[in-house]
Amino acid sequence: MRSLLGDYVLQHLQNEQTGTLHYRLFRCLRHAIVKGVVQPSTRLPASRDLAQAIHVSRNTVLSAYDQLQAEGYVEAKTGHGTWVSSRIPDDFLSSLPSHIDNKREKMDEEEKYEISKRGQCLIERASASPHQWGAFVPGVPDVMAFPHHIFQRIQTKQSKLPQIEQLIYSNTGGCFRLRTALAQYLKVSRSVSCDADQIIITEGIHQGIDLITRVLSDVGDLAWVEEPGYWGVKNNLSMNGLDVEPISIDSEGLYIPNSPQRLPSLIFVTPSHQYPLGPHLSIQRRKHLIKFARENKCWVVEDDYDSEFRFSGKPYPSLQGLERNSPVIYMGTFSKTIYPALRIGYVVAPKSLAPILRQASTELYRGGHTLLQNTLAEFIEEGHYEAHIRRMRLLYGKRRSYLIDLIFKYLGERFLHPYDNASGLHLVLKLPQSVDDTALSEYAIQRGVKVRPLSQYYLNRHSACEKGLLLGFACVDEKNMFDAFTLLIECLKKFNIPLK
Ligand SMILES: Cc1ncc(COP(=O)(O)O)c(C=O)c1O
């Protein structure tokens, strides 16, 4: 930043209107020091460099530096240049043009900004948890169990050979190598029918929802979401001006109403592991959903966020792969299989829709992170991704069994939600209807047990909403799980919940 001080001076010197040039420069630099633009104990540019940058003589800069030194704002270190003092002189306040700065700071404090209605709605409904790690944060994998060293080795190798395509804007919907590797992976592991051209790389499912919603619906259109369901979908849809209608789920997943009053443009589902309750969409319901969407010309959006983790029985194939040319758009993510901060997800669209989504994605978000995507592609090609998923399936399977044992032993079987289907990174602890699960979760969080209340996943919050707690088991080892569970039992007792 040292060399940029000239830019600051050029922008602010005209505010100092009285006195000689060197005195005005002194005041300008002093202001920069006092306001913290230039931090204590940092080096000022060499007088010759600053003089050149601001088009004044070197003597002018030297005189300004001398005065700063005389008043204690800087120190000259022989042979090492001029440094801002580590402590600013005590009387600096009296030297500030205080009427300007104090007024401005006060304004910043008091100003209430008006935000849009939809902005307000988003902030009121904001649901992202401030707690993203530890027992029992749902939906977070064990980010430290990832083979970071392998990923880094590949990334370092690739970054030594920078390609122009990796460094410019991308308009390809994500790097081809990653799309190719993903197409292969999705065909085999998720029975998704696709090739690389149908894939658009996103910065996670949230961005995929935004893209699909903006391109395939208009403000005022209707979207159906599962009730209870993922808050991220609902917030994104409302923010894009859609009406959102919650549709009930039961043990077979989403239940399409017999004669809906209004037809939706978009239907969002989590068919392999309904979020948050857990059932998978039965084959009859899958067929019915696709038939309904075909007949009514709406899109089904399949959110396949965590189906890599199924701990017993055979994996459920994707809805997208069930019928040829179905109106299903598939979305997936690396947030659960690798780590959320990677921010890489994907949308798989029917062949004729993919180029439109790709172009829209370029217009809305521009493309990027190409080096990261190429690294991920090689990581998948070399078999590391598959191996990591296999290892994590075992690890999370063990942690899940441990948690279920604790539930059965200390609480009783009735506390495991009946829709649980032995998948994913969380389970739902079912509570009696009379319990205020929001108050319980706040109480537990204060004691360090990070649980989320089930009732908050309902769009229509009323007394009939099921009560429970989401317990994530992936990012916590058995020892910590036991300690947290013991605390949780105390919390349940505090709320007079009858235990075993
Ligand atoms: C059902 C569901 N879909 C999507 C996401 C978010 O995915 P991403 O991190 O790719 O935006 C989550 C995160 O917890 C989720 O639970």
Side-chain angles (χ1 to χ4, degrees):
M1 291 299 155
R2 186 155 56 102
S3 60
L4 294 180
L5 189 59
D7 289 354
Y8 176 87
V9 172
L10 287 174
Q11 290 165 42
H12 293 271
L13 193 59
Q14 79 257 18
N15 299 340
E16 309 294 341
Q17 281 161 355
T18 54
T20 58
L21 182 57
H22 88 254
Y23 185 68
R24 283 162 49 212
L25 178 58
F26 153 73
R27 284 170 54 105
C28 182
L29 291 172
R30 182 180 63 179
H31 196 245
I33 293 170
V34 166
K35 292 299 292 173
V37 176
V38 194
Q39 293 285 308
S41 307
T42 55
R43 195 174 167 179
L44 290 184
S47 53
R48 185 176 285 112
D49 294 345
L50 184 58
Q52 208 173 32
I54 63 174
H55 318 296
V56 300
S57 74
R58 187 174 170 215
N59 278 344
T60 302
V61 177
L62 285 172
S63 304
Y65 278 12
D66 281 350
Q67 188 146 359
L68 286 170
Q69 189 183 349
E71 297 196 16
Y73 292 98
V74 301
E75 292 161 13
K77 297 185 184 172
T78 321
H80 293 286
T82 305
W83 293 70
V84 178
S85 305
S86 55
R87 289 194 57 192
I88 308 298
D90 290 343
D91 60 350
F92 76 86
L93 273 176
S94 58
S95 63
L96 259 185
S98 56
H99 57 286
I100 301 172
D101 292 286
N102 294 348
K103 194 167 152 205
R104 172 160 196 124
E105 265 155 31
K106 213 156 179 216
M107 262 176 60
D108 284 349
E109 259 171 39
E110 287 169 4
E111 196 97 50
K112 291 265 180 295
Y113 298 103
E114 268 201 20
I115 57 172
S116 65
K117 284 199 193 80
R118 57 186 174 166
Q120 247 168 14
C121 179
L122 181 73
I123 299 307
E124 277 159 19
R125 286 215 211 129
S127 304
S129 167
H131 315 281
Q132 294 288 353
W133 183 251
F136 293 101
V137 175
V140 177
D142 191 333
V143 297
M144 298 312 285
F146 181 67
H148 294 282
H149 59 289
I150 301 179
F151 200 80
Q152 240 156 31
R153 171 178 54 73
I154 300 172
Q155 188 156 21
T156 307
K157 187 186 77 183
Q158 292 204 9
S159 63
K160 282 186 186 147
L161 309 161
Q163 314 272 315
I164 289 177
E165 299 74 49
Q166 293 183 355
L167 304 171
I168 57 176
Y169 289 119
S170 155
N171 56 9
T172 56
C175 96
F176 183 69
R177 191 170 171 187
L178 178 59
R179 290 190 281 118
T180 308
L182 253 176
Q184 187 55 28
Y185 164 78
L186 289 173
K187 263 187 258 185
V188 177
S189 79
R190 303 295 310 120
S191 305
V192 172
S193 112
C194 68
D195 57 40
D197 289 340
Q198 289 172 257
I199 298 180
I200 295 104
I201 304 293
T202 62
E203 296 206 0
I205 284 179
H206 273 228
Q207 196 180 69
I209 299 168
D210 190 55
L211 175 68
I212 291 165
T213 306
R214 290 198 203 195
V215 176
L216 297 176
S217 64
D218 284 308
V219 170
D221 278 4
L222 181 68
W224 280 355
V225 297
E226 295 164 329
E227 177 85 322
Y230 181 49
W231 50 265
V233 177
K234 298 175 237 180
N235 286 350
N236 214 311
L237 293 170
S238 314
M239 201 58 186
N240 280 314
L242 271 79
D243 295 337
V244 184
E245 188 179 339
I247 305 291
S248 302
I249 67 121
D250 61 19
S251 60
E252 292 185 57
L254 185 98
Y255 179 83
I256 295 186
N258 278 336
S259 36
Q261 287 182 338
R262 247 181 103 187
L263 287 171
S265 312
L266 301 168
I267 305 174
F268 286 84
V269 278
T270 46
S272 297
H273 183 218
Q274 198 279 331
Y275 192 85
L277 289 183
H280 81 281
L281 194 62
S282 67
I283 186 71
Q284 294 81 357
R285 296 265 177 98
R286 285 175 187 235
K287 287 185 174 161
H288 183 45
L289 180 58
I290 293 176
K291 184 166 177 278
F292 178 89
R294 283 192 204 280
E295 285 172 1
N296 295 294
K297 300 206 177 330
C298 44
W299 289 101
V300 176
V301 185
E302 173 174 18
D303 177 353
D304 200 29
Y305 62 108
D306 72 357
S307 51
E308 281 82 1
F309 301 112
R310 173 125 175 88
F311 306 110
S312 68
K314 50 184 174 51
Y316 303 113
S318 69
L319 173 69
Q320 189 267 8
L322 186 66
E323 291 181 18
R324 281 172 65 82
N325 302 324
S326 63
V328 177
I329 302 171
Y330 176 93
M331 296 187 303
T333 182
F334 290 96
S335 292
K336 315 294 171 186
T337 49
I338 296 187
Y339 54 83
L342 194 69
R343 300 315 305 141
I344 300 186
Y346 38 93
V347 167
V348 182
K351 272 193 176 7
S352 53
L353 179 63
I356 297 168
L357 290 184
R358 181 163 29 257
Q359 198 168 7
S361 167
T362 304
E363 293 300 317
L364 285 171
Y365 322 117
R366 312 305 303 255
H369 310 300
T370 314
L371 173 63
L372 190 64
Q373 291 181 19
N374 270 308
T375 304
L376 182 53
E378 191 169 332
F379 185 81
I380 298 172
E381 288 161 7
E382 285 187 0
H384 303 300
Y385 185 56
E386 229 182 287
H388 176 60
I389 290 177
R390 254 188 282 119
R391 270 197 310 275
M392 291 307 99
R393 213 176 269 155
L394 285 177
L395 181 73
Y396 302 156
K398 268 205 229 149
R399 289 178 177 176
R400 185 187 133 84
S401 301
Y402 186 73
L403 179 57
I404 289 181
D405 286 350
L406 290 175
I407 294 172
F408 284 10
K409 184 165 172 197
Y410 294 102
L411 306 180
E413 283 186 31
R414 68 182 192 285
F415 280 81
L416 181 64
H417 197 284
Y419 293 171
D420 184 85
N421 87 359
S423 312
L425 307 181
H426 76 276
L427 55 75
V428 176
L429 193 75
K430 188 166 169 48
L431 297 175
Q433 275 307 104
S434 55
V435 175
D436 179 348
D437 57 0
T438 303
L440 172 57
S441 110
E442 280 163 11
Y443 181 80
I445 287 169
Q446 276 167 18
R447 272 142 200 83
V449 188
K450 298 155 190 166
V451 288
R452 290 183 68 121
L454 176 58
S455 61
Q456 285 195 353
Y457 288 80
Y458 286 79
L459 197 58
N460 287 337
R461 296 197 188 147
H462 47 73
S463 54
C465 294
E466 271 199 76
K467 303 296 167 31
L469 295 175
L470 270 71
L471 303 186
F473 48 77
C475 66
V476 52
D477 61 25
E478 277 89 344
K479 160 85 181 73
N480 285 314
M481 200 185 290
F482 182 81
D483 295 346
F485 196 81
T486 311
L487 279 173
L488 181 61
I489 292 175
E490 295 306 314
C491 300
L492 298 178
K493 282 183 185 158
K494 185 85 187 164
F495 277 70
N496 299 321
I497 298 173
L499 309 180
K500 213 174 179 182

